[in-house]
Amino acid sequence: MRLLLPVALLATTIAIAPVHFDREKVVRVKPQDKNQVNIMKNLAKDNELDFWYPDAIDHVAANMTVDFRVSGKEFQSIQSALDQNRMHYEILIDNLQEEIEKQFDVKEAVPGRHSYAKYNNWDKIVAWTEKMVDKHPEMVSRIKIGSTFEDNPLYVLKIGKKDERRKAIFMDCGIHAQEWISPAFCQWFVYQAAKSYGKNKIMTKILDRMNFYVLPVFNVDGYIWSWTQDRMWKKNRSKNHNSKCVGTDLNRNFNVSWHSSPNTNDPCQDTYRGPAPESEKETKAVADFIRSHLKSIRAYISFHSYSQMLLFPYGYTLKLPPNHEDLAKVARIGTDVLSTRYETQYIYGPIASTAYPTSGSSLDWAYNLGIKHTFAFELRDKGRFGFLLPESRIKSTCKETMLAVKFIAKYILRHTS
């Protein structure tokens, strides 16, 4: 017992000491040439910078918009280095802690109850999955596809009729813990799809002929941690051998060009790929489920934030996939359809050239597995709020995204065998 006591005390201490971000800033810089890129790289070496976009210093290139988080203490030296080198910068967020608190700007109609207009914690999401099955037993079923490192369940909601042979789309949200708008969309999608069956002509037609498998939160442990301890947490919560640093980036852990990026092999980096492909319980569970349903899955869609992009393969190479024109056409029309609601502008294209190169991503893995229509949405916004999109913008984000997803589903029904 005496050996266990310090651990228990430590856990209690951790539980009451969440990370605070007082005076931390989010800064935007656009390096104009190679020299300015090198200045950025040197600043990243000498200071603790958390890159929001792109997700690592190695991806920073000339004429790219770069967003990073920096402590109030380090900001002064960063500021003077930028001024000295005549590099234009913009402060997107002046006090990160204040912005985190401002994110919850929608009042709860019923305190403690799940709401589509608010961000919901994991407990509320679990209760919501049960409620959806109870409310729509003919249309929604819940499948436990595995469990996480911390033994939380991984639930997929199947929407559609019982026939397993029908075409299907697999969708996941929340692979990165801090991207809260992503799970909010998956919840909205399930709710709208189930609610509008038999009432909305397009949704009824889609669900009469197709199933959806929706994973509302991929990275459950990380998502819980982002609610309780560290709002900006990204990775899962697995322990790393011979390292005090925790977690793997689940979107670098898929078995596709897994070891091609040297910047993903450090357990202390947010882009750590893990010790081996599919080393993480979450990745393995999702990969196994998709492999076992490969006969029916015709499209794979992953939801992230932020930057307003609709991306498709490849991320690990600039080479274009054989059906590039088809993917570009779907993405072009999808972004056009999305913009009809609130005039939100998205750009589209292959991951590597439109955003930045990535290795071990779920999108490239699913494509190489044989699912020839794979897409990733980078939801709102373009950086003003970044990962901290206010709750007051959840519904509009979900409504416009729903239009694009419905278009993709109709396209899959018409154009895949």
Side-chain angles (χ1 to χ4, degrees):
M1 279 305 287
R2 274 182 306 176
L3 285 171
L4 292 174
L5 191 60
V7 179
L9 283 172
L10 184 64
T12 313
T13 312
I14 291 168
I16 55 167
V19 180
H20 269 264
F21 300 92
D22 295 305
R23 294 177 55 245
E24 294 204 4
K25 299 182 189 309
V26 178
V27 181
R28 171 167 287 179
V29 180
K30 195 170 184 179
Q32 299 300 307
D33 51 34
K34 213 171 178 180
N35 178 45
Q36 292 195 349
V37 169
N38 288 331
I39 291 163
M40 278 303 306
K41 288 186 175 178
N42 289 331
L43 287 174
K45 255 185 229 162
D46 301 334
N47 300 273
E48 228 176 287
L49 305 185
D50 170 24
F51 283 87
W52 283 22
Y53 188 90
D55 63 2
I57 183 63
D58 307 76
H59 299 139
V60 172
N63 294 311
M64 177 188 267
T65 298
V66 180
D67 299 344
F68 60 88
R69 170 168 70 94
V70 62
S71 71
K73 206 165 96 179
E74 289 182 314
F75 175 68
Q76 285 179 320
S77 61
I78 298 280
Q79 189 179 30
S80 60
L82 294 173
D83 286 338
Q84 220 173 341
N85 290 284
R86 297 203 174 121
M87 289 174 70
H88 176 72
Y89 62 88
E90 184 186 345
I91 297 168
L92 297 175
I93 296 175
D94 191 48
N95 186 327
L96 189 59
Q97 188 60 38
E98 279 180 15
E99 213 61 56
I100 288 169
E101 285 154 23
K102 278 198 263 179
Q103 198 181 9
F104 300 100
D105 63 347
V106 168
K107 281 201 168 72
E108 289 186 272
V110 181
R113 189 184 286 181
H114 178 278
S115 167
Y116 296 102
K118 291 188 67 60
Y119 294 118
N120 299 292
N121 65 23
W122 174 241
D123 289 342
K124 283 183 190 170
I125 293 172
V126 172
W128 165 82
T129 63
E130 291 167 10
K131 186 181 161 189
M132 291 310 293
V133 176
D134 290 345
K135 222 172 174 183
H136 307 279
E138 295 302 308
M139 189 54 62
V140 182
S141 54
R142 188 175 78 171
I143 309 159
K144 185 184 175 189
I145 65 165
S147 54
T148 67
F149 177 80
E150 293 180 343
D151 215 26
N152 287 301
L154 286 166
Y155 289 130
V156 160
L157 292 179
K158 180 188 170 194
I159 310 159
K161 300 288 172 63
K162 299 283 183 272
D163 188 357
E164 295 290 328
R165 293 163 304 173
R166 301 194 311 167
K167 290 178 186 180
I169 293 179
F170 185 93
M171 292 168 34
D172 65 53
C173 288
I175 197 168
H176 291 141
Q178 84 274 51
E179 299 170 4
W180 285 8
I181 186 60
S182 166
F185 174 72
C186 268
Q187 292 161 70
W188 176 267
F189 177 84
V190 172
Y191 164 66
Q192 287 296 331
K195 184 184 87 153
S196 58
Y197 180 75
K199 295 171 191 163
N200 176 287
K201 205 170 147 188
I202 295 168
M203 203 39 130
T204 304
K205 200 174 173 183
I206 290 169
L207 290 173
D208 274 339
R209 296 164 65 195
M210 172 182 267
N211 291 330
F212 289 87
Y213 295 108
V214 182
L215 177 63
V217 186
F218 192 132
N219 179 8
V220 176
D221 298 346
Y223 187 68
I224 293 169
W225 195 255
S226 74
W227 273 82
T228 58
Q229 299 298 329
D230 180 350
R231 175 64 187 87
M232 300 326 303
W233 189 260
K234 176 182 182 176
K235 301 186 282 184
N236 75 348
R237 295 293 303 163
S238 63
K239 303 279 184 286
N240 290 313
H241 189 58
N242 291 335
S243 174
K244 66 182 192 321
C245 297
V246 170
T248 287
D249 181 347
L250 297 174
N251 204 35
R252 298 288 183 281
N253 191 236
F254 282 84
N255 195 6
V256 58
S257 193
W258 173 79
H259 59 295
S260 65
S261 294
N263 66 308
T264 61
N265 61 2
D266 177 359
C268 296
Q269 293 297 317
D270 269 352
T271 51
Y272 178 52
R273 65 190 179 211
E278 291 183 29
S279 59
E280 306 310 291
K281 288 178 75 178
E282 298 89 341
T283 317
K284 182 84 168 74
V286 170
D288 283 346
F289 182 84
I290 291 174
R291 278 190 286 258
S292 69
H293 291 76
L294 204 50
K295 279 185 180 158
S296 64
I297 294 174
R298 296 290 185 277
Y300 168 83
I301 311 175
S302 190
F303 296 87
H304 298 248
S305 75
Y306 61 96
S307 63
Q308 292 172 205
M309 294 179 183
L310 182 47
L311 304 169
F312 49 83
Y314 287 113
Y316 67 88
T317 175
L318 288 167
K319 198 178 80 177
L320 299 175
N323 66 334
H324 168 78
E325 283 182 23
D326 189 29
L327 291 169
K329 178 186 169 185
V330 176
R332 175 176 55 80
I333 302 171
T335 54
D336 283 349
V337 168
L338 183 148
S339 71
T340 58
R341 189 76 195 240
Y342 303 103
E343 297 182 0
T344 308
Q345 297 304 308
Y346 269 57
I347 60 170
Y348 65 90
I351 306 165
S353 57
T354 312
Y356 45 84
T358 60
S359 57
S361 76
S362 63
L363 212 60
D364 286 349
W365 171 82
Y367 183 86
N368 283 359
L369 193 66
I371 303 168
K372 294 307 174 193
H373 291 87
T374 67
F375 300 95
F377 281 83
E378 292 283 353
L379 300 173
R380 292 193 200 176
D381 62 359
K382 286 197 162 189
R384 162 62 190 90
F385 298 105
F387 300 120
L388 304 173
L389 194 72
E391 287 179 328
S392 53
R393 306 196 182 201
I394 292 175
K395 279 197 173 178
S396 52
T397 302
C398 290
K399 284 176 183 177
E400 67 191 11
T401 310
M402 190 77 175
L403 296 175
V405 174
K406 273 159 87 168
F407 164 73
I408 293 170
K410 284 190 292 180
Y411 187 90
I412 296 300
L413 277 174
R414 280 195 211 119
H415 298 281
T416 62
S417 53

